[in-house]
Amino acid sequence: MTEKKEKPIQHPGYAKKPLSRRAFLARSGAAAGITAAAGYLSFAPEDWPLSMRDDTGLRSKPRVRPLTIRDYRVERPAHARDVGLGRGGTLEVRLRKCLDAMGGLDHYVKPGDIVLIKPNVAFDRSPNLGATSNPELLEALIRMILVDCRAQEVRVADNPIESPSDCFAKSGIRRATERAGGRIYLPDSNAFKMLNTPGARLIENWWFFHRPFTNVDKVIGLTPVKDHNLCSASMSIKNWYGLLGGRRNQFHQDIHNIVADLSIMMRPTLSILDGSNVLMKNGPTGGDPSDVKKGDTLLASVDPVAMDAWAYEHLLERGRDYPQYLFNAEERGSGRVDWSGRIKEMA
Amino acid sequence: MPRERLITHHKRKVLRKRIPLAETLFGAVFIVLVGVATAWVLAQGDNFDPADRDISFELLQEQSVDAELYTPPVKPWVEPGAGSPLAGLPELESLPAGLLDSGWKLDGRVETYDESNVYEKINGAAEQYRSFGFVTLTYVTLLKGSEFINIEIYDQGEFKNALGIFSAQRAPGRRVLRQGEIYYYETPAGVIGGYRNLYFKIVGSSDADAIRAKAASLLELMSDLPAEPSAPPRAFTILTRDLGVDFDDLEYRRSDVFQYEFLSDFWFGAVEPGSESRWFIHQAADTGTARSLFEQLRAEQEYEYRIDGGGDGRVVMQHEFLETWFALDVRGSTLFGVEGAATRKDAEEALERLEEALGAGR
């Protein structure tokens, strides 16, 4: 036998109020008002005040709020020059020399800093071809930042042209980074954000490989010196092209302006230019080790324009007929092409 | 006494006169927790550890390299006894099966690019290939232990374009070798060369013996590639067969010849091995075009050269500053001449040799 379900007890104090005429009219009026307002918002022409009509769909198109990245530059010490030059000895010795000429790495990187290094890992080439950054140099730099400067973390990031994982593996950058204790950041489709670069002509608002820059305190570019089929030379400023996303290949139609734009998009703490393996011909991809000239020069600078000009003349051996983008970068206030009297070489 | 219930399905009314203290406290704590969590999220903003949102290296590598984008439903039919070396190796597509021997295996898959997407592979370098009639790029990587070899095969459409990009990219001083129709030079880590309409680069990760041996064996396979047979251009034949110009001293320029936009499709060959003095030949569409180009080139050269005679249709001129000699002539639809000669006599003699080879006959 089933028990009959007990009906809940009505609260003894509950009494249903009758709806007065006044209340009825007030509620009816409110309902009519809301309906009329909704009708106006929906059907009023687009240019009427408060209208929400959207025939073209443009009003409801999601708006991406561009971000800006900070200026990572650090004032150089008074006794240093804008460009530091290190020659002779091992790679690590040269690195120390050029950084000491700039006042020492510890002037730029402080204990606890998170440092991002941007090498050139554009292609899945082996390092002997000179198309990518030198992994030995990267390893030495990461160790110096972690050990000498006691940085909290070193990140290594690039958005290669080819498969990112292949490029990092075959260029030796992955192994060098992991061995030295750095962390690699590979791009994926969610790692990009719209970046606003005021004053840029081509990339005022453009997709930027942003994720590794989260909380970063210092940014260092580590670049090989290469011949470039379109802009004559790929050096420290051109290196920042590797942070762009989207259909960036279209910028090659106006390469001198895009490189100049890159010089204002990224204001790095330091730029390091590696003249150990200079790709003299068939850049930027190379393919023949004999196109690579061995050198014993390393440069560090807070003025990438001057450093690139010096490298163009002395490492690529192309005289003073500098690429147009250096002058464009100078116009945009990124540095000065004239390097004379601004270089310090450490003995 | 019936149990008090907060909400019943009969009426959405609170039926209780009092709410226990425990419930009140829990509600308050819950609201505080939600508030704290909201404040944390707002304060955190973009201030996260990016590694938390990063995709692992291994995962990216697995997915980018080994992803099989297309699986052929069935293998193509091969007549018994007419077995193609490609049969059974669909992953190699049009590449010879001999690629995979001596322990070398495919790293990833065969990649192909055309003009619309070649920038995805060689952005920055693509324009040079495009200026020589680029059609497709086939790219594959072979792997053996820690060593790897990249093979790039560029279909440049025609023999002259393949030779053109070859001569444009050849390192100075590299001796060009021949093996049947294949022309190539060796690099410390591979081989670079051409075959018919194809230009190929075999680039190893080091100069190890295994790499060099594999590069040499790959070279032999290049003639198995599906290249387009075509008769060599007349200018090429004249320079190599009739005038004896070696591959080392041969060049084809497709555009911006002498840095003039109106000049394209020129062949060059050194008068003597390694010499600065070079013959050049251009086959125009018709006599009128050849004559027009002759006049245009002559007019442009006059800005830098001083005309010093000629006659019989030809013109001989000397550079104002370099003092080298330039001779130009046109016969029928062929525009030809000599550049960079040290003396006027050298220029005229070289031009006469070229005229004889062309069968122009004065």
Side-chain angles (χ1 to χ4, degrees):
Chain A
M1 187 181 166
T2 55
E3 246 182 65
K4 195 180 174 186
K5 201 173 179 183
E6 193 180 334
K7 196 176 176 183
I9 301 163
Q10 181 71 287
H11 193 281
Y14 175 73
K16 194 173 181 180
K17 279 187 182 173
L19 188 63
S20 69
R21 182 169 169 273
R22 184 182 295 261
F24 172 75
L25 287 173
R27 289 185 190 184
S28 301
I34 290 168
T35 309
Y40 173 85
L41 293 174
S42 306
F43 298 111
E46 279 188 44
D47 51 345
W48 287 22
L50 301 176
S51 168
M52 294 176 73
R53 190 165 173 151
D54 187 17
D55 291 333
T56 56
L58 291 175
R59 298 177 73 172
S60 54
K61 196 175 167 185
R63 284 184 178 77
V64 180
R65 197 174 59 181
L67 63 98
T68 50
I69 51 169
R70 46 174 282 222
D71 185 338
Y72 294 97
R73 284 178 293 188
V74 171
E75 192 74 24
R76 66 167 167 79
H79 62 84
R81 297 277 173 84
D82 288 335
V83 182
L85 184 60
R87 283 194 272 216
T90 64
L91 198 64
E92 193 173 340
V93 169
R94 291 201 289 275
L95 179 61
R96 285 192 187 281
K97 279 182 180 176
C98 73
L99 290 171
D100 287 347
M102 293 298 302
L105 186 59
D106 53 1
H107 172 79
Y108 299 92
V109 178
K110 300 296 178 194
D113 276 355
I114 297 177
V115 182
L116 183 134
I117 300 177
K118 161 68 179 73
N120 185 331
V121 200
F123 304 101
D124 60 354
R125 299 283 197 192
S126 57
N128 61 330
L129 297 173
T132 50
S133 290
N134 186 339
E136 289 173 40
L137 179 62
L138 176 68
E139 190 175 336
L141 180 63
I142 295 173
R143 286 189 200 282
M144 283 176 72
I145 293 171
L146 287 174
V147 178
D148 299 357
C149 304
R150 290 178 290 136
Q152 183 188 147
E153 183 186 339
V154 176
R155 298 176 184 169
V156 176
D158 193 14
N159 177 26
I161 289 161
E162 304 177 55
S163 157
S165 49
D166 273 3
C167 291
F168 272 84
K170 289 178 184 167
S171 62
I173 295 294
R174 177 191 178 181
R175 209 168 68 156
T177 305
E178 289 175 351
R179 215 161 40 194
R183 283 165 68 175
I184 288 175
Y185 286 82
L186 298 182
D188 61 71
S189 54
N190 293 318
F192 291 84
K193 282 187 178 178
M194 183 65 70
L195 176 73
N196 176 250
T197 306
R201 293 189 190 167
L202 301 174
I203 50 169
E204 187 172 3
N205 290 297
W206 195 259
W207 295 106
F208 177 79
F209 182 25
H210 176 263
R211 188 187 293 155
F213 281 81
T214 308
N215 301 331
V216 156
D217 300 298
K218 303 288 160 51
V219 174
I220 298 175
L222 182 65
T223 320
V225 181
K226 300 197 288 183
D227 163 65
H228 196 284
N229 172 44
L230 295 176
C231 61
S232 189
S234 171
M235 297 175 288
S236 70
I237 303 175
K238 175 76 172 61
N239 184 35
W240 304 114
Y241 181 87
L243 294 174
L244 299 181
R247 291 182 63 85
R248 57 183 173 174
N249 64 299
Q250 61 185 286
F251 295 132
H252 276 140
Q253 306 302 318
D254 192 0
I255 195 149
H256 294 289
N257 266 323
I258 185 65
V259 180
D261 277 358
L262 294 171
S263 72
I264 53 174
M265 179 190 84
M266 177 55 65
R267 307 284 200 190
T269 313
L270 271 177
S271 297
I272 297 174
L273 202 53
D274 179 14
S276 307
N277 295 303
V278 183
L279 182 58
M280 304 293 284
K281 193 172 183 285
N282 295 325
T285 52
D288 182 354
S290 45
D291 291 336
V292 178
K293 187 184 163 196
K294 297 283 177 193
D296 68 340
T297 307
L298 265 177
L299 294 142
S301 181
V302 290
D303 182 344
V305 179
M307 183 171 69
D308 284 3
W310 189 92
Y312 187 81
E313 192 177 336
H314 295 88
L315 300 179
L316 277 169
E317 300 168 0
R318 297 194 179 170
R320 292 205 163 195
D321 187 14
Y322 301 129
Q324 182 58 40
Y325 67 73
L326 288 180
F327 298 104
N328 294 358
E330 185 176 89
E331 274 174 24
R332 286 162 169 76
S334 302
R336 284 194 292 128
V337 172
D338 184 12
W339 48 263
S340 50
R342 301 166 61 208
I343 293 188
K344 184 175 181 181
E345 180 172 1
M346 287 300 278
Chain B
M1 184 182 169
R3 192 165 60 90
E4 283 190 335
R5 297 172 68 183
L6 190 63
I7 296 171
T8 73
H9 60 278
H10 296 291
K11 289 193 187 298
R12 291 179 184 170
K13 296 286 181 187
V14 178
L15 300 178
R16 298 185 300 185
K17 284 183 174 177
R18 61 183 187 281
I19 295 174
L21 180 64
E23 276 186 34
T24 309
L25 287 176
F26 176 80
V29 169
F30 182 76
I31 289 166
V32 168
L33 283 176
V34 169
V36 168
T38 308
W40 182 80
V41 168
L42 291 175
Q44 193 74 357
D46 268 348
N47 189 30
F48 61 93
D49 182 348
D52 293 344
R53 302 185 189 179
D54 222 25
I55 299 175
S56 77
F57 208 99
E58 286 70 20
L59 193 63
L60 269 176
Q61 199 160 30
E62 276 168 22
Q63 293 193 346
S64 66
V65 177
D66 294 335
E68 213 166 278
L69 298 181
Y70 172 71
T71 309
V74 286
K75 289 179 184 175
W77 172 254
V78 179
E79 281 294 333
S84 151
L86 306 184
L89 289 165
E91 73 272 17
L92 280 176
E93 297 183 12
S94 59
L95 300 177
L99 243 58
L100 308 177
D101 63 359
S102 315
W104 289 91
K105 60 178 185 178
L106 210 58
D107 182 26
R109 58 189 169 83
V110 177
E111 300 168 34
T112 52
Y113 302 88
D114 58 24
E115 206 183 351
S116 68
N117 63 356
V118 67
Y119 64 85
E120 290 173 12
K121 194 69 188 171
I122 51 168
N123 198 13
E127 276 68 14
Q128 191 184 21
Y129 292 92
R130 289 165 72 146
S131 71
F132 280 99
F134 171 81
V135 181
T136 58
L137 162 63
T138 305
Y139 186 92
V140 67
T141 302
L142 305 182
L143 199 64
K144 185 179 182 182
S146 60
E147 302 284 8
F148 64 89
I149 297 178
N150 293 331
I151 303 173
E152 300 165 33
I153 301 166
Y154 299 87
D155 180 351
Q156 297 294 137
E158 290 180 76
F159 164 76
K160 61 184 182 182
N161 291 333
L163 183 65
I165 189 88
F166 172 80
S167 48
Q169 293 196 348
R170 186 164 64 94
R174 286 262 173 236
R175 183 87 187 138
V176 181
L177 306 167
R178 301 290 300 272
Q179 186 172 301
E181 282 188 72
I182 296 173
Y183 51 92
Y184 66 97
Y185 63 90
E186 292 174 341
T187 73
V191 175
I192 295 176
Y195 170 62
R196 296 184 180 172
N197 56 318
L198 305 178
Y199 172 60
F200 58 84
K201 283 183 174 182
I202 298 168
V203 183
S205 56
S206 72
D207 55 1
D209 289 343
I211 296 265
R212 296 173 71 88
K214 182 62 182 170
S217 74
L218 288 171
L219 182 67
E220 291 176 8
L221 294 173
M222 289 296 126
S223 57
D224 293 341
L225 291 169
E228 297 290 331
S230 60
R234 179 168 171 254
F236 169 79
T237 312
I238 288 167
L239 287 170
T240 54
R241 192 189 63 194
D242 301 338
L243 293 168
V245 175
D246 206 19
F247 258 75
D248 288 339
D249 300 314
L250 198 65
E251 187 186 359
Y252 170 73
R253 298 207 64 172
R254 197 164 188 261
S255 57
D256 291 334
V257 181
F258 302 125
Q259 298 185 344
Y260 297 130
E261 282 184 12
F262 63 89
L263 290 182
S264 59
D265 198 16
F266 271 62
W267 286 87
F268 290 84
V271 174
E272 299 295 335
S275 135
E276 295 285 313
S277 175
R278 299 199 300 172
W279 286 299
F280 60 86
I281 306 174
H282 167 70
Q283 194 66 50
D286 51 53
T287 309
T289 310
R291 172 57 61 182
S292 161
L293 288 174
F294 175 87
E295 295 300 341
Q296 261 185 290
L297 179 56
R298 174 197 164 128
E300 289 290 343
Q301 292 292 72
E302 278 187 69
Y303 287 106
E304 293 180 357
Y305 286 81
R306 180 172 47 81
I307 293 186
D308 191 15
D312 200 17
R314 73 167 64 160
V315 62
V316 180
M317 50 182 89
Q318 187 179 23
H319 197 280
E320 298 273 9
F321 307 107
L322 302 175
E323 297 185 344
T324 55
W325 290 83
F326 185 90
L328 183 65
D329 204 346
V330 61
R331 284 288 178 273
S333 60
T334 308
L335 180 70
F336 58 95
V338 178
E339 65 150 358
T343 64
R344 181 193 172 115
K345 190 179 167 212
D346 288 348
E348 287 184 328
E349 281 178 4
L351 192 65
E352 277 165 21
R353 279 179 65 194
L354 180 53
E355 281 170 347
E356 276 176 30
L358 284 164
R362 287 187 176 280

